[in-house]
Amino acid sequence: DFNFDKDEDSRTPLGEAENLVKYGHLTIENKKNYMEILSNSIVNIAGLLPIRPTVFFRPRPLIFSTIPAEANKSNNFLAELTQNLCCVFNCADAIIPTLKILKPQMKSLSLAEKINTWKKIYSTPDNIDLNLSSIEGATVVIVDDLYQSGTTMLAYSEFLERHGANE
């Protein structure tokens, strides 16, 4: 909803920045400018989460993680945004996991079928290239560039919790 203005029937400035970074052929300077728009936005959104230490609350280790992408798919801009979050929020490092398997096409599947497919993918730790000991006891904030049904995020968050993430 942040990326498209239904009243204007066009992308928002944030949506245009994401589209150009992901699919446009940009100069280094233009890409830097659009990445700054995206970085500022994601930092502002993450700032709304209760993840910073306070006088009364000492959070567990904080980790930002992208959704695992297929090894042959580039998610460089998402990795860059996630690493920027780590710098702003003073966490150790970003986790940029990859899927070791090809995921099936899911556009024609029902919501229940998508959930089952993702849960099956995440049922085997060997399907994901991720150091599971790095998430032990941590609060993990999952970063994705597209949120439609929530099935990917649901299955990945359950996977992280099963393997030691606290929340």
Side-chain angles (χ1 to χ4, degrees), residues 149-160:
S149 65
T151 58
T152 310
M153 201 168 285
L154 170 71
Y156 184 53
S157 66
E158 289 175 350
F159 168 83
L160 293 172

Side-chain angles (χ1 to χ4, degrees), residues 27-46:
T27 64
I28 293 172
E29 187 60 31
N30 281 343
K31 182 178 180 184
K32 180 180 171 190
N33 291 337
Y34 287 119
M35 282 299 292
E36 186 173 336
I37 291 169
L38 294 171
S39 289
N40 289 339
S41 177
I42 200 164
V43 165
N44 288 338
I45 291 168

Side-chain angles (χ1 to χ4, degrees), residues 17-127:
E18 180 184 10
N19 182 63
L20 288 170
V21 167
K22 284 174 73 172
Y23 306 113
H25 301 287
L26 300 172
T27 64
I28 293 172
E29 187 60 31
N30 281 343
K31 182 178 180 184
K32 180 180 171 190
N33 291 337
Y34 287 119
M35 282 299 292
E36 186 173 336
I37 291 169
L38 294 171
S39 289
N40 289 339
S41 177
I42 200 164
V43 165
N44 288 338
I45 291 168
L48 299 173
L49 299 172
I51 56 178
R52 290 195 188 267
T54 67
V55 174
F56 304 106
F57 176 69
R58 183 78 184 146
R60 292 166 182 86
L62 177 64
I63 296 171
F64 289 90
S65 174
T66 62
I67 290 285
E70 292 173 294
N72 62 345
K73 302 266 175 137
S74 173
N75 66 349
N76 291 340
F77 96 96
L78 194 57
E80 188 175 330
L81 290 174
T82 304
Q83 289 165 340
N84 184 49
L85 284 168
C86 281
C87 292
V88 171
F89 287 87
N90 298 318
C91 65
D93 200 7
I95 295 176
I96 315 297
T98 54
L99 289 175
K100 293 181 180 178
I101 61 169
L102 296 177
K103 72 171 187 72
Q105 289 297 319
M106 293 192 236
K107 290 186 183 196
S108 63
L109 299 180
S110 70
L111 185 60
E113 290 169 322
K114 288 179 184 180
I115 291 170
N116 288 335
T117 301
W118 277 115
K119 286 185 176 191
K120 184 175 178 185
I121 288 170
Y122 289 124
S123 68
T124 305
D126 289 341
N127 288 343

Side-chain angles (χ1 to χ4, degrees), residues 1-15:
D1 288 348
F2 295 120
N3 295 339
F4 197 79
D5 184 334
K6 292 177 183 157
D7 294 333
E8 297 291 325
D9 196 32
S10 63
R11 289 186 183 96
T12 64
L14 182 60

